[in-house]
Amino acid sequence: MEKFLIEGRTELSGKLPVNGAKNHALKLIPAAFLFTGEVTLSNVPEIEDIKRLVEIVDNIGGSVKHEGGSISIVAPEAFDGELPADLVPQLRASIVLVGPLLARYGSVSLPLPGGDNIGQRPIDFFVEGCKAMGANVKIKDDTYIFKAKHGLQGAEFLFPLVSVTGTETLLLAATQASGTTVLKNAACEPEIVALAEFLNAHGAKITGAGTHTITIEGTGLFAGGQAETIPDRIEAGSFVILAAATQSNLTITKCNPAHLEIPLYILQEMGVETQVGADSIEVIPPKGKLKPINLVTHEYPGFPTDLQAPMTVLLTQAEGQSHVRETIYESRLVYTDLLNSMGADISLLDPFRASITGPTELQGKTVASPDIRAGIAMIIAGLIAEGTTTIQNIYQIDRGYERIEERLQAVGAQIRRVSE
Ligand code: EPU
């Protein structure tokens, strides 16, 4: 088992480049099953979730070349419908495979997918969406069996709640359906726009991606293709917050600031100034006291739930009382106990609401990373705390952030990975 050891209170400086987006690359890989020829993906982050998904592709007969940030995939001509029960539960994104596999091969058995400890992750939208497109779905021994022996038909489907992976799964399936599919109350995240642009560049007919209504005309399999993973807006936002929290002059590079308009606006309200370039964000170290805020998470373009934990760490340094309301996941504030053990003053009003009184001086402690995003929040907390912070269960951090310790060391952070 590995852990991170962090010595806090060091000012950071320099350039911190952002990697390709986890939640884009994790959907480009399933999309490769819609192609008869080779699909080559670049700027793919080298993270554990990608490695697990590649293992699944390999396990089901895909031919994969994986070298650094480049992955080439050729989908198999046949697939027996069985997804590996040991790998699928390790990441939520494995569910996105259902769309292309069902559409292309006519059947897929899905052991209940897993992911993070951030709340219930139901899959009813996926089941109902596939049924609307003509699939038959049965549950046997915690496995969902999807069948569409005679192919899928275009349909209109309304998502009761906005779901990113739900939108992506049905969008991928709909490219192979006969007729037209309309997804209503679809998610608008930039990763969905990029996925649709990739498919359109190779012959798909998708309109409306980036709005709440996406229309897909079924076109059939695509020949071969390539795609570049877009910059990870969550990693970029986490680095901006890290710079503000450590009062450092950091320039976050290789990012797309247009994907972070609301987080940057909210940071400005708190007193954090940034200089935004075409693909960079320079954080000016805050001089005065940070102002408290009321933060509400929201689907894109709102404040992302995936930045809620890092932002809460920053709010422990604001002068006065802040409130955080998490609207997507019911267990995504549990890490606040860990911050309190380090000296923060956070009250959980209910599972969705926290009140933070600041500023508080954090002290280094031993904490475990509960999930990917709370994990990076613990690193930020460790970097502003007095003394040594030990972070355990760092597999959760490695799931989403590539060699984070080496990249932070390059801007002066005192963080090391050690084996227990
Ligand atoms: N939901 C249902 N039924 C469903 C699907 C979803 O009720 O069938 C509800 C959920 O309970 C939740 C909401 O819809 O209230 C959205 O949840 P969902 O599980 O659909 O989220 P997701 O689309 O799978 C993606 C990202 C998350 C990110 C959210 C932001 C991926 C692989 N995951 O999740 O990323 O927080 O969108 O909305 O793209 C992360 O990267 O750490 C992460 C958790």
Side-chain angles (χ1 to χ4, degrees):
M1 294 285 263
E2 292 180 321
K3 57 188 180 182
F4 285 142
L5 292 184
I6 300 172
E7 296 299 325
R9 304 267 166 108
T10 308
E11 202 178 306
L12 314 179
S13 65
K15 288 186 178 160
L16 192 46
V18 170
N19 283 355
K22 166 175 94 71
N23 288 342
H24 183 213
L26 284 173
K27 322 307 168 50
L28 288 171
I29 293 173
F33 284 89
L34 301 176
F35 289 75
T36 52
E38 188 173 66
V39 174
T40 302
L41 310 175
S42 57
N43 198 31
V44 179
E46 291 182 64
I47 53 176
E48 294 301 323
D49 271 14
I50 291 287
K51 291 181 197 161
R52 294 298 86 71
L53 192 57
V54 165
E55 282 168 23
I56 295 176
V57 172
D58 182 62
N59 179 291
I60 63 176
S63 146
V64 190
K65 277 183 256 154
H66 189 181
E67 282 171 17
S70 164
I71 300 183
S72 300
I73 300 172
V74 181
E77 278 180 21
F79 165 57
D80 66 6
E82 297 295 323
L83 284 171
D86 53 335
L87 292 170
V88 166
Q90 295 189 37
L91 72 160
R92 168 79 171 175
S94 50
I95 197 171
V96 178
L97 285 164
V98 167
L101 294 181
L102 177 67
R104 177 161 181 181
Y105 304 103
S107 90
V108 54
S109 293
L110 179 81
L112 208 51
D116 316 283
N117 303 319
I118 57 180
Q120 290 178 26
R121 307 289 294 270
I123 68 161
D124 48 322
F125 304 162
F126 301 79
V127 170
E128 294 309 319
C130 290
K131 279 187 181 168
M133 293 170 80
N136 183 297
V137 188
K138 290 202 175 102
I139 307 170
K140 198 174 165 221
D141 304 332
D142 278 348
T143 297
Y144 285 78
I145 303 161
F146 294 75
K147 286 199 192 302
K149 286 288 173 222
H150 305 292
L152 296 170
Q153 291 92 51
E156 200 172 284
F157 184 74
L158 171 72
F159 286 96
L161 296 174
V162 173
S163 165
V164 175
T165 46
T167 302
E168 292 160 335
T169 303
L170 297 187
L171 179 149
L172 293 174
T175 61
Q176 307 304 307
S178 60
T180 303
T181 299
V182 181
L183 302 178
K184 293 167 136 187
N185 197 24
C188 301
E189 269 63 3
E191 293 76 20
I192 296 177
V193 177
L195 184 66
E197 282 174 356
F198 161 57
L199 294 170
N200 281 343
H202 294 88
K205 291 193 173 155
I206 303 167
T207 53
T211 74
H212 286 304
T213 305
I214 305 182
T215 304
I216 307 114
E217 228 182 275
T219 40
L221 294 173
F222 312 112
Q226 48 194 32
E228 183 176 345
T229 313
I230 62 170
D232 196 314
R233 64 195 161 91
I234 303 303
E235 184 169 276
S238 303
F239 288 168
V240 172
I241 293 169
L242 163 74
T246 55
Q247 299 184 312
S248 302
N249 179 216
L250 277 183
T251 302
I252 319 307
T253 59
K254 289 178 68 186
C255 63
N256 186 344
H259 293 165
L260 283 166
E261 279 188 333
I262 299 271
L264 293 179
Y265 173 82
I266 290 173
L267 282 163
Q268 193 181 25
E269 296 271 283
M270 286 181 70
V272 178
E273 292 299 330
T274 51
Q275 295 276 356
V276 172
D279 63 356
S280 66
I281 304 169
E282 181 185 356
V283 183
I284 316 299
K287 288 205 187 68
K289 293 169 180 163
L290 293 175
K291 295 191 197 80
I293 50 158
N294 288 332
L295 184 75
V296 182
T297 64
H298 199 279
E299 291 86 9
Y300 190 83
F303 189 91
T305 171
D306 292 345
L307 284 179
Q308 179 259 103
M311 192 66 168
T312 299
V313 175
L314 184 63
L315 292 177
T316 67
Q317 304 308 301
E319 182 96 4
Q321 197 167 44
S322 297
H323 289 95
V324 170
R325 187 146 65 85
E326 167 60 43
T327 60
I328 320 268
Y329 299 115
E330 70 274 17
S331 305
R332 231 184 190 179
L333 284 167
V334 286
Y335 69 87
T336 52
D337 272 356
L338 302 175
L339 290 180
N340 281 343
S341 77
M342 295 175 76
D345 183 357
I346 306 177
S347 305
L348 216 48
L349 308 176
D350 63 44
F352 290 97
R353 290 182 307 141
S355 138
I356 301 122
T357 307
T360 44
E361 290 216 348
L362 302 186
Q363 303 294 324
K365 280 277 163 3
T366 297
V367 293
S369 170
D371 68 82
I372 305 177
R373 309 307 179 182
I376 197 85
M378 287 305 131
I379 290 184
I380 299 173
L383 287 170
I384 60 176
E386 173 79 35
T388 309
T389 296
T390 304
I391 305 184
Q392 296 166 327
N393 196 27
I394 61 172
Y395 177 80
Q396 287 297 329
I397 300 174
D398 292 335
R399 286 183 56 197
Y401 301 90
E402 179 182 330
R403 295 176 298 103
I404 189 69
E405 74 285 12
E406 291 174 25
R407 296 159 69 208
L408 294 180
Q409 282 160 8
V411 289
Q414 295 196 33
I415 172 170
R416 25 194 205 108
R417 182 185 293 260
V418 292
S419 292
E420 287 189 287

